[in-house]
Amino acid sequence: MFLKIDTNINTPIYLQIYQRIHEGIKSGQLKAGQRLPAVRVLASELNVARGTIELAYQLLVSEGLLETKGAKGTFISQTIKNLPTNRSKEPEGLYLEQKAFNQTAPTNNCSKQNTNGYTVLPFQLGTPALDAFPHKLWARISARILRDSHFDLLSYPDAQGLRQLREGLARYLMISRGIHCSPEQIFISFGHRASLQLIAQSLFTAGDIGWFEEPGYHIARDFLQQIGLKLIPISVDGQGINVKQGVEAAPAAKFALVTPTHQSPTNVTLTLERRLALLEWANQQGSWIIEDDYDGEFHYQGRPLPALKSLDSEERVIYCGTFSKVLYPALRLSYIVVPPTYHDHFNSTAMIMGNQCPSWQQEITSTFIQEGHFSRHLRKMRELYRQRRSFLIEAIKIKLSDVFEVELQAGGMHIVVKIINGIPAIQFSQLAIYHGLKVEALDDWLINKKESDCLLLGFTNIKDKQESLMLCHKLNEISHNLLSCEELK
Amino acid sequence: MFLKIDTNINTPIYLQIYQRIHEGIKSGQLKAGQRLPAVRVLASELNVARGTIELAYQLLVSEGLLETKGAKGTFISQTIKNLPTNRSKEPEGLYLEQKAFNQTAPTNNCSKQNTNGYTVLPFQLGTPALDAFPHKLWARISARILRDSHFDLLSYPDAQGLRQLREGLARYLMISRGIHCSPEQIFISFGHRASLQLIAQSLFTAGDIGWFEEPGYHIARDFLQQIGLKLIPISVDGQGINVKQGVEAAPAAKFALVTPTHQSPTNVTLTLERRLALLEWANQQGSWIIEDDYDGEFHYQGRPLPALKSLDSEERVIYCGTFSKVLYPALRLSYIVVPPTYHDHFNSTAMIMGNQCPSWQQEITSTFIQEGHFSRHLRKMRELYRQRRSFLIEAIKIKLSDVFEVELQAGGMHIVVKIINGIPAIQFSQLAIYHGLKVEALDDWLINKKESDCLLLGFTNIKDKQESLMLCHKLNEISHNLLSCEELK
């Protein structure tokens, strides 16, 4: 089993060895009391430094899975006999690790994926509080619509999206985000990337250049690069994206993709000054601003600024919204707002691209909005997230004061913490993920890769004080294990 | 109103004038007894030939909307007072025309679109019999799943698709289409174009060349060209796509997109000899064959040939299936079967592209299959379509024997007819569509545009003998109107 080490993937080798032994123990290949190869033997067998093997062993010892018997060598601990073999639904123990493994190795055989693939992991980003979603109410509305459904719900849907849904959205955008638009300007898409696809196919050609926030939303980044666009990283500071830097780096860029309300992932709000500078650039250049307002509703200190789009007098902003954060991700519904003069253009692209969304989902969502459940739900969630966020911050103060420093912003669905004990964020993240805690390092959110000391912690699905404390305690353990390894280095 | 004539769009000017007057009468702008401008006056005003105006007037006279009073001129007929003003749901009269107008002018203001946009028009292609879909049963299953739904249905779905659904599909494909594949080889996509997108993003780069059937499925054609692929038209004859011609025209093509079971739109079945030749080419070149098996189930003379994929010993075929024809289009579920060795490659692309489909839709579909409803439904539909097809053929014999010659094939969801009275297919189609009969000319299905004499008539939603006769009668009237215009030319 040790010969499978892969030097290409970016999981450090010590962690791969650690994982192999872990898997070996779980699968029963490695039995209690069994002797492991000596450090130098394994090191030469794998052709890696002895320190690497020592790190792996040390981690497993600190978890009680291995025990060292001095000269005799290193053995699988007797304690593993007590490990649970049937996976409890509780978010801890081997189950978590299994889950984490599926998360980190998504191309593994799919049965694994689907056992757990859907479940939300602790600290997972960008997933609304699924326990708080009114899914009984949703089910009732759905059932009603299904019962009364007619052919309209079966045949090919409108490529622009269900009219009633777009009407509901137009009202919502005016009240909540300060955007005045007609239903004709709204295009419903099958998720955010389908929105980006529609924009790209309508306005850009392969090779076009765009500003991209650094750090920035890596899912959009990977997608846009995949479809052939070139992204120039423009750094983000305490005021949001650095427009001046953008103008210097790529004055003639075709577009800028920004997250003004809560910059993804720093949660910084783009200042009014920067907003105006950005608009001025776009107006002068005839460039496009793509505003991704994915979670603008979740603002906890005062009201959020209205959307950048609300300042867009010259129609250079394409506004992107989604239901993934405010309702639930599996709905796969997003939308964009385009300038009135571009309606026909976008519409013909939408018809070529096959932008139709399942009619039922649209009708259910539309009804949910029309009957007032949507705004009620948003208010409820805002309050819930405010609370869950404070639970986590509290728990960090108690359990991780010597490990993390919280960098708090006015909104968002996660918090950013700075690691203050010298552990590189990527190492912290990798071990945490392996233990089923979906803690992301800032590193992955950078185009110009560099080692960061920031972690992103989603709080939306952490139910209460107790869970926050329990999870922070786990992070603390992980921190200690890593520290003890650092010393070995 | 006459000054709006658009010489760019491909609707002939006489038809545009005809439509304007029609609209004018409907909207009340033109009143009974009102005098229309003299032919030569209008001709010079619009700067078109007098014959063009005469054609338009002639059409309207033959429909009783205008009347000529010799030297006095042409007037809006008194009979229009009797025209229905409130639109009945019956598929006839002005309502139909309004609907057709929405169909033909999809970029019109959306309220129009959404009033009727979803409804199936007579002769519409590729739409299953919506009246025969067991939507009460579907609603019951949905409601049950919604009631018992858990977080798994809310969070981000698996990018490859729901495991149970892929398992059900693997069994179905083996039994019905002779394809032996594992659930790991199947990727669920959001409609056929999303499937093509996943294939293109996984295997091709912009500018890659592919064979495309001539005539061929224009929706796939427009999409593939939109995303930057180059399509070489390869002609289709009585044996299907002409492989020899393909090898001569583009031997090194990266792929060939084919519809072997029922060629779209001719319904010709690709002969075994051609299938083997195609595979041989792909194997030698290392090229890809994309097999679109959109309606393989609907075969009325004997069993359909197994899918081309079933002969694919060297794994050069990507198989594409969809639920749009066998269940219903608004479901937005399609799937592909990829070679086992390409699973990881496709999976990572699927994750970047955001290929997730709404979990509920997948779970409902999976349950529908597992509980045996799917195969029952297919059997029922096959029988129904066999019957509806014969009704239409019968009605054509009775009403259109001097207009159409039916070119019958063994399967499909529409029939192909040859126009034998000299009316160009495109003119026939345009007037029919304007009258709410979604009759397509073969012209639109050609890359190398040329005037064709073939029409495509969908029969799946024509309920019975009476409706078939009524609709064929309408086609006959249209034929006569056009003939009388032809004489004027």
Side-chain angles (χ1 to χ4, degrees):
Chain A
M1 65 187 282
F2 289 112
L3 302 177
K4 289 220 227 85
I5 300 304
D6 181 351
T7 52
N8 300 325
I9 64 174
N10 68 356
T11 311
I13 290 171
Y14 81 88
L15 200 55
Q16 291 187 54
I17 298 167
Y18 166 90
Q19 290 173 358
R20 295 280 184 294
I21 298 177
H22 233 295
E23 297 300 320
I25 291 171
K26 270 202 317 241
S27 66
Q29 277 178 280
L30 297 174
K31 303 208 168 10
Q34 199 173 325
R35 190 176 176 288
L36 286 174
V39 169
R40 60 177 161 57
V41 175
L42 186 53
S44 66
E45 186 184 318
L46 297 178
N47 186 26
V48 299
R50 288 177 57 164
T52 309
I53 309 295
E54 279 163 349
L55 282 177
Y57 281 14
Q58 170 67 26
L59 268 174
L60 291 154
V61 168
S62 65
E63 289 175 17
L65 293 176
L66 299 188
E67 47 196 357
T68 48
K69 296 180 180 174
K72 287 216 193 97
T74 311
F75 297 79
I76 308 291
S77 156
Q78 296 296 333
T79 59
I80 68 162
K81 289 174 179 164
N82 315 328
L83 292 175
T85 49
N86 64 328
R87 291 171 189 160
S88 70
K89 266 278 170 202
E90 295 313 307
E92 49 194 358
L94 287 177
Y95 169 73
L96 258 186
E97 285 142 20
Q98 182 53 43
K99 246 184 356 189
F101 188 79
N102 301 332
Q103 295 287 327
T104 50
T107 60
N108 255 34
N109 96 52
C110 304
S111 64
K112 274 189 180 180
Q113 257 193 58
N114 279 284
T115 334
N116 315 308
Y118 291 163
T119 320
V120 186
L121 292 173
F123 299 118
Q124 186 169 310
L125 300 177
T127 310
L130 301 184
D131 61 315
F133 184 75
H135 88 277
K136 294 285 174 210
L137 168 65
W138 187 266
R140 266 204 309 283
I141 294 174
S142 313
R144 192 203 321 156
I145 286 168
L146 290 168
R147 250 198 331 276
D148 317 342
S149 71
H150 37 97
F151 294 174
D152 291 6
L153 291 184
L154 297 176
S155 188
Y156 286 94
D158 184 327
Q160 180 166 8
L162 193 68
R163 172 80 184 182
Q164 304 92 287
L165 179 55
R166 290 184 283 116
E167 285 169 345
L169 276 170
R171 280 188 298 273
Y172 159 72
L173 288 171
M174 188 178 63
I175 296 162
S176 293
R177 311 300 299 124
I179 297 170
H180 293 264
C181 67
S182 76
E184 282 66 39
Q185 290 173 254
I186 299 176
F187 285 78
I188 310 291
S189 280
F190 166 66
H192 181 52
R193 280 169 280 192
S195 292
L196 292 176
Q197 172 94 285
L198 179 58
I199 295 169
Q201 292 289 344
S202 302
L203 302 177
F204 311 141
T205 55
D208 278 352
I209 288 173
W211 299 1
F212 198 81
E213 294 169 331
E214 175 88 333
Y217 185 45
H218 54 76
I219 293 186
R221 177 192 73 206
D222 295 344
F223 177 80
L224 293 173
Q225 288 173 337
Q226 171 77 33
I227 62 171
L229 296 170
K230 298 211 182 335
L231 303 179
I232 311 294
I234 307 300
S235 64
V236 171
D237 59 26
Q239 302 179 280
I241 187 169
N242 185 332
V243 178
K244 196 160 161 298
Q245 188 191 97
V247 174
E248 283 156 10
K254 195 78 182 282
F255 67 95
L257 197 159
V258 291
T259 50
T261 314
H262 305 133
Q263 198 274 333
S264 175
T266 64
N267 287 332
V268 168
T269 299
L270 188 63
T271 59
L272 187 57
E273 187 190 355
R274 291 267 178 103
R275 289 173 189 233
L276 296 173
L278 186 60
L279 284 165
E280 191 189 352
W281 165 76
N283 296 341
Q284 281 176 1
Q285 285 290 331
S287 303
W288 291 101
I289 298 169
I290 303 171
E291 174 178 27
D292 178 6
D293 193 27
Y294 59 105
D295 73 346
E297 283 293 343
F298 302 131
H299 204 78
Y300 315 111
Q301 290 155 31
R303 292 291 305 152
L305 280 175
L308 175 61
K309 176 70 184 167
S310 67
L311 301 170
D312 179 30
S313 53
E314 300 192 29
E315 302 284 11
R316 303 311 304 167
V317 177
I318 310 285
Y319 177 90
C320 300
T322 175
F323 287 104
S324 293
K325 318 295 184 204
V326 288
L327 289 177
Y328 63 95
L331 186 58
R332 315 307 304 132
L333 276 188
S334 297
Y335 55 93
I336 60 174
V337 180
V338 310
T341 48
Y342 281 80
H343 167 272
D344 292 5
H345 184 59
F346 271 83
N347 197 63
S348 50
T349 312
M351 287 193 294
I352 290 173
M353 297 302 291
N355 210 46
Q356 298 97 334
C357 292
S359 312
W360 278 344
Q361 308 253 16
Q362 294 190 74
E363 190 121 340
I364 295 164
T365 309
S366 167
T367 308
F368 192 80
I369 296 173
Q370 275 168 31
E371 295 182 355
H373 306 301
F374 185 53
S375 46
R376 254 193 307 282
H377 180 60
L378 285 176
R379 275 198 304 279
K380 230 182 101 201
M381 289 303 101
R382 198 178 299 119
E383 201 32 59
L384 183 74
Y385 292 164
R386 185 200 307 278
Q387 202 179 38
R388 289 186 172 182
R389 190 173 82 144
S390 64
F391 288 151
L392 180 57
I393 293 165
E394 187 63 22
I396 289 172
K397 279 211 195 85
I398 296 167
K399 298 279 185 182
L400 292 157
S401 54
D402 56 344
V403 182
F404 293 160
E405 200 172 82
V406 178
E407 299 185 339
L408 202 58
Q409 297 294 340
M413 298 169 73
H414 65 269
I415 57 172
V416 182
V417 297
K418 198 165 179 302
I419 303 173
I420 56 178
N421 67 1
I423 298 171
I426 191 72
Q427 273 193 37
F428 203 118
S429 159
Q430 277 164 334
L431 189 57
I433 285 173
Y434 186 71
H435 281 281
L437 307 176
K438 194 99 174 60
V439 173
E440 286 192 37
L442 195 68
D443 306 44
D444 304 332
W445 297 64
L446 296 166
I447 291 176
N448 298 329
K449 294 280 167 245
K450 69 176 194 316
E451 198 175 75
S452 99
D453 57 359
C454 282
L455 294 175
L456 311 171
L457 307 177
F459 54 77
T460 46
N461 282 281
I462 305 178
K463 290 174 198 49
D464 50 29
K465 274 204 177 78
Q466 288 63 27
E467 195 181 349
S468 303
L469 286 166
M470 183 269 283
L471 291 169
C472 287
H473 179 73
K474 280 178 169 290
L475 289 181
N476 191 282
E477 282 178 2
I478 288 165
S479 166
H480 280 123
N481 294 345
L482 283 165
L483 276 181
S484 57
C485 299
E486 287 296 310
E487 286 154 12
L488 274 175
K489 273 188 179 164
Chain B
M1 65 187 283
F2 289 109
L3 302 176
K4 286 221 226 83
I5 299 303
D6 181 350
T7 51
N8 299 325
I9 64 174
N10 68 357
T11 311
I13 290 171
Y14 81 88
L15 200 55
Q16 291 187 54
I17 298 167
Y18 166 90
Q19 290 172 359
R20 295 280 185 293
I21 298 177
H22 233 295
E23 297 300 320
I25 291 170
K26 271 202 319 246
S27 66
Q29 278 179 280
L30 297 174
K31 303 210 167 7
Q34 198 173 327
R35 189 177 174 288
L36 285 174
V39 170
R40 58 175 166 59
V41 175
L42 186 53
S44 67
E45 186 184 321
L46 298 178
N47 186 26
V48 297
R50 288 176 59 162
T52 309
I53 309 295
E54 278 163 349
L55 282 177
Y57 282 13
Q58 169 68 25
L59 269 174
L60 290 154
V61 168
S62 66
E63 288 175 18
L65 293 175
L66 298 188
E67 48 197 356
T68 48
K69 296 181 181 173
K72 287 218 191 95
T74 313
F75 297 80
I76 308 292
S77 158
Q78 296 297 334
T79 59
I80 68 160
K81 290 174 178 164
N82 315 328
L83 290 176
T85 48
N86 64 327
R87 290 169 190 164
S88 70
K89 266 277 168 204
E90 295 313 309
E92 49 194 358
L94 288 177
Y95 169 72
L96 256 187
E97 284 142 20
Q98 183 52 45
K99 253 193 335 198
F101 188 79
N102 300 332
Q103 296 287 329
T104 50
T107 61
N108 256 34
N109 95 55
C110 304
S111 65
K112 273 188 178 181
Q113 258 191 60
N114 279 286
T115 333
N116 316 308
Y118 290 164
T119 321
V120 187
L121 293 173
F123 299 117
Q124 187 169 310
L125 300 177
T127 309
L130 300 184
D131 61 315
F133 183 74
H135 88 277
K136 294 284 174 211
L137 168 64
W138 187 265
R140 266 204 309 283
I141 294 174
S142 314
R144 192 204 320 156
I145 286 167
L146 291 168
R147 250 197 331 276
D148 316 343
S149 71
H150 37 99
F151 294 174
D152 292 8
L153 292 184
L154 295 176
S155 188
Y156 287 93
D158 184 329
Q160 180 165 10
L162 193 69
R163 172 79 184 183
Q164 304 90 287
L165 178 55
R166 289 184 283 115
E167 285 168 347
L169 276 171
R171 280 189 297 274
Y172 160 72
L173 288 172
M174 187 177 64
I175 296 162
S176 293
R177 310 300 298 124
I179 296 170
H180 293 264
C181 67
S182 76
E184 282 65 40
Q185 290 174 254
I186 299 176
F187 285 79
I188 311 291
S189 281
F190 166 66
H192 180 52
R193 280 168 282 191
S195 291
L196 292 175
Q197 173 93 284
L198 179 58
I199 295 169
Q201 292 289 343
S202 301
L203 301 177
F204 311 143
T205 55
D208 278 353
I209 288 174
W211 299 1
F212 198 82
E213 294 168 330
E214 176 87 334
Y217 186 44
H218 55 75
I219 292 187
R221 177 192 73 206
D222 295 344
F223 177 80
L224 293 173
Q225 288 173 336
Q226 171 78 33
I227 62 171
L229 296 170
K230 298 212 180 337
L231 303 179
I232 311 293
I234 308 299
S235 64
V236 170
D237 59 26
Q239 303 179 282
I241 187 169
N242 185 331
V243 178
K244 193 159 162 298
Q245 188 191 97
V247 175
E248 283 156 8
K254 195 77 181 282
F255 67 94
L257 198 160
V258 292
T259 50
T261 315
H262 305 133
Q263 197 274 334
S264 174
T266 65
N267 287 331
V268 169
T269 299
L270 188 63
T271 60
L272 186 58
E273 186 190 355
R274 291 267 178 100
R275 289 173 189 234
L276 296 172
L278 186 61
L279 284 164
E280 192 191 351
W281 165 76
N283 296 340
Q284 281 176 3
Q285 285 291 330
S287 302
W288 291 102
I289 298 169
I290 303 171
E291 173 178 27
D292 178 7
D293 193 28
Y294 60 105
D295 73 346
E297 284 292 342
F298 301 132
H299 204 78
Y300 315 111
Q301 290 154 31
R303 292 289 305 148
L305 279 176
L308 175 61
K309 176 70 185 168
S310 66
L311 301 171
D312 178 30
S313 53
E314 300 192 27
E315 302 283 12
R316 303 311 306 168
V317 177
I318 310 284
Y319 177 90
C320 300
T322 175
F323 286 104
S324 293
K325 318 295 183 203
V326 288
L327 289 177
Y328 63 95
L331 187 58
R332 314 308 305 133
L333 276 187
S334 297
Y335 56 92
I336 59 174
V337 180
V338 310
T341 49
Y342 280 79
H343 167 274
D344 292 5
H345 184 59
F346 271 83
N347 197 62
S348 50
T349 312
M351 286 193 295
I352 290 173
M353 297 302 291
N355 210 45
Q356 296 97 333
C357 294
S359 312
W360 279 344
Q361 308 252 16
Q362 294 189 74
E363 189 122 339
I364 295 164
T365 309
S366 167
T367 308
F368 191 80
I369 295 173
Q370 275 167 34
E371 295 181 354
H373 306 301
F374 185 53
S375 46
R376 253 192 308 282
H377 180 60
L378 285 176
R379 275 197 304 279
K380 230 183 100 202
M381 289 304 101
R382 198 178 298 120
E383 201 31 61
L384 183 74
Y385 292 164
R386 185 199 307 281
Q387 203 180 37
R388 290 187 172 182
R389 190 173 81 144
S390 63
F391 288 152
L392 180 57
I393 293 166
E394 187 63 22
I396 289 172
K397 279 211 196 83
I398 296 169
K399 297 279 185 183
L400 293 157
S401 54
D402 56 344
V403 183
F404 294 160
E405 199 172 84
V406 178
E407 299 185 338
L408 203 58
Q409 297 294 341
M413 297 170 72
H414 65 269
I415 57 173
V416 182
V417 297
K418 197 165 181 302
I419 303 173
I420 56 178
N421 66 0
I423 297 170
I426 191 70
Q427 274 193 35
F428 203 118
S429 158
Q430 277 163 333
L431 189 58
I433 286 173
Y434 187 72
H435 281 281
L437 307 176
K438 193 97 176 63
V439 172
E440 286 192 35
L442 196 67
D443 306 44
D444 303 332
W445 298 65
L446 296 166
I447 292 177
N448 298 329
K449 295 279 168 248
K450 67 177 199 307
E451 198 175 76
S452 99
D453 57 0
C454 283
L455 294 175
L456 311 171
L457 307 178
F459 54 76
T460 47
N461 282 281
I462 305 177
K463 289 172 198 50
D464 50 30
K465 275 205 178 76
Q466 288 62 27
E467 195 180 349
S468 302
L469 286 167
M470 182 270 284
L471 291 168
C472 286
H473 179 72
K474 280 177 168 290
L475 289 181
N476 190 281
E477 282 178 1
I478 288 166
S479 165
H480 279 123
N481 294 346
L482 284 165
L483 276 182
S484 56
C485 298
E486 286 297 309
E487 287 153 14
L488 274 175
K489 275 189 178 165

